């Protein structure tokens, strides 16, 4: 059952981690995605509960995620705020909003199981979870977007040296805001998928993924100084983190060890970047 648990966790982490690679490569960071995840899930669950067609709820939920990403990006890029500190502020602000709106109560949406959207997104395909196939499609799409598309090439330039990128005629602000939007988009998908799998929204949703997704980015070989990034590496990072999260418990060690190993892996990854990075830079 180890793989089953990992198959629930991995797609969520992929939707959160891959867009972060884009953002870190562009020279920014976003911590607010863990709350964006919950807001999108809340919008989705609340609308389903009120009888709106789940397919429309899905679109509105993902749109909410992207809109929050755009707002956070605009706040940081236009006002030249530190993305680390500003997104941390948004993380807590949105979490507070969710707790207030939901009265700290969860929402259960069992009725979604009978809608065509459920088997399509999180059903089983010959015993294989559909969410893994969607995550794979997302990885392939992101890989081309990052490595072959103009958007990805702009991100590399902006992260490497935004002054020269501006002189080349790249709209640095627009590129960065779009990247923040992509993070919100991914967080929205992750929140909705988790809500579908568990049939429920709960206000603290997503908080546990904050450090895991960031760890997966850095463990996967995307250095924190921008200009470089790897999608394949991020998927590897997600695999390491997901198997470790579930594996520590499966081996019979207590959950207390999870935090210890997470910290250890992040530090080792950073040391690896530093030793390897001097050559790359």
């Amino acid at each position: 059952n180890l793989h089953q648990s990992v198959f629930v966790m991995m797609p969520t982490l992929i939707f959160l981690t891959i867009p972060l690679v884009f953002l870190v490569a562009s020279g920014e960071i976003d911590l607010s995605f863990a709350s964006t995840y919950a807001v999108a899930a809340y919008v989705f669950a609340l609308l389903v509960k009120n009888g709106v067609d789940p397919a429309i709820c899905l679109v509105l939920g993902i749109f909410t995620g992207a809109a929050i990403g755009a707002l956070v990006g605009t706040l940081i890029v236009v006002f030249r705020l530190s993305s680390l500190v500003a997104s941390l502020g948004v993380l807590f602000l949105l979490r507070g909003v969710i707790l207030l709106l939901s009265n700290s109560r969860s929402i259960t949406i069992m009725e979604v199981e009978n809608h065509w959207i459920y088997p399509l997104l999180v059903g089983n395909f010959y015993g294989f979870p559909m969410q893994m196939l969607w995550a794979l499609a997302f990885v392939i799409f992101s890989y081309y977007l990052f490595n072959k598309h103009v958007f990805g090439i702009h991100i590399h330039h902006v992260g490497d040296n935004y002054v020269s990128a501006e002189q080349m005629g790249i709209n640095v602000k627009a590129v960065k805001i779009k990247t923040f939007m992509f993070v919100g988009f991914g967080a929205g998908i992750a929140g909705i998928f988790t809500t579908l799998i568990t049939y429920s929204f709960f206000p603290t949703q997503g908080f546990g993924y904050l450090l895991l997704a960031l760890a997966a980015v850095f463990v996967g070989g995307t250095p924190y100084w921008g200009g470089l990034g790897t999608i394949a590496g991020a998927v590897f990072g997600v695999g390491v983190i997901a198997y470790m999260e579930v594996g520590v418990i499966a081996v019979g060690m207590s959950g207390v060890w999870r935090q210890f190993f997470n910290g250890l892996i992040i530090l080792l990854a950073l040391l690896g970047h530093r030793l390897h990075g001097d050559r790359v830079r």
Side-chain angles (χ1 to χ4, degrees):
N1 209 11
L2 168 69
H3 296 303
Q4 275 307 359
S5 313
V6 169
F7 280 159
V8 170
M9 190 166 184
M10 264 188 89
T12 309
L13 264 178
I14 281 173
F15 291 131
L16 291 172
T17 304
I18 302 285
L20 283 173
V21 172
F22 284 69
L23 192 61
V24 171
S26 81
E28 301 286 346
I29 188 79
D30 183 5
L31 303 181
S32 68
F33 67 87
S35 286
T36 307
Y37 171 109
V39 176
Y42 176 69
V43 168
F44 174 75
L46 188 70
L47 291 173
V48 169
K49 202 71 189 161
N50 286 322
V52 181
D53 186 299
I56 297 169
C57 301
L58 175 83
V59 174
L60 289 173
I62 294 173
F63 178 77
T64 304
I68 292 172
L71 282 170
V72 176
T74 306
L75 187 71
I76 289 165
V77 173
V78 174
F79 293 104
R80 299 216 173 120
L81 302 178
S82 148
S83 55
L84 183 70
V85 184
S87 63
L88 188 64
V90 176
L91 172 77
F92 286 109
L93 184 80
L94 289 178
R95 185 65 55 179
V97 167
I98 281 292
L99 289 168
L100 288 169
L101 288 176
S102 64
N103 257 339
S104 302
R105 291 198 186 105
S106 56
I107 302 173
T108 315
I109 47 164
M110 293 305 289
E111 56 266 36
V112 81
E113 195 175 24
N114 305 321
H115 191 273
W116 59 266
I117 202 172
Y118 183 83
L120 179 70
L121 294 180
V122 294
N124 262 354
F125 184 71
Y126 296 110
F128 193 72
M130 281 299 288
Q131 63 266 27
M132 282 300 283
L133 294 177
W134 287 108
L136 182 65
F138 188 71
V139 168
I140 294 167
F141 164 75
S142 301
Y143 180 83
Y144 277 97
L145 189 62
F146 192 67
N147 295 307
K148 304 278 190 276
H149 192 272
V150 175
F151 180 54
I153 294 160
H154 281 180
I155 283 174
H156 285 91
H157 284 317
V158 168
D160 195 40
N161 187 335
Y162 73 93
V163 179
S164 73
E166 255 171 358
Q167 286 164 352
M168 284 162 63
I170 297 172
N171 185 341
V172 172
K173 287 183 174 166
V175 169
K176 286 192 172 183
I177 290 169
K178 280 181 199 160
T179 318
F180 275 102
M181 269 183 85
F182 190 46
V183 172
F185 171 79
I189 295 176
I192 291 167
F193 265 82
T194 311
T195 304
L196 278 169
I197 292 167
T198 59
Y199 301 115
S200 58
F201 155 83
F202 47 99
T204 52
Q205 212 167 20
F207 230 62
Y209 282 112
L210 176 64
L211 297 174
L212 296 181
L214 288 170
V217 173
F218 297 125
V219 169
T222 296
Y224 53 88
W225 52 74
L228 294 165
T230 155
I231 301 296
V235 176
F236 167 76
V238 166
V240 170
I241 299 288
Y243 268 99
M244 196 183 61
E245 278 286 295
V246 179
V248 166
I249 312 277
V251 173
M253 297 168 83
S254 80
V256 189
W257 280 94
R258 277 181 11 202
Q259 304 279 335
F260 172 79
F261 282 118
N262 281 339
L264 189 65
I265 281 191
I266 294 172
L267 288 173
L268 290 174
L270 288 178
L271 283 172
H273 287 324
R274 191 31 82 212
L275 299 172
H276 178 70
D278 290 335
R279 293 205 300 276
V280 174
R281 289 183 93 171

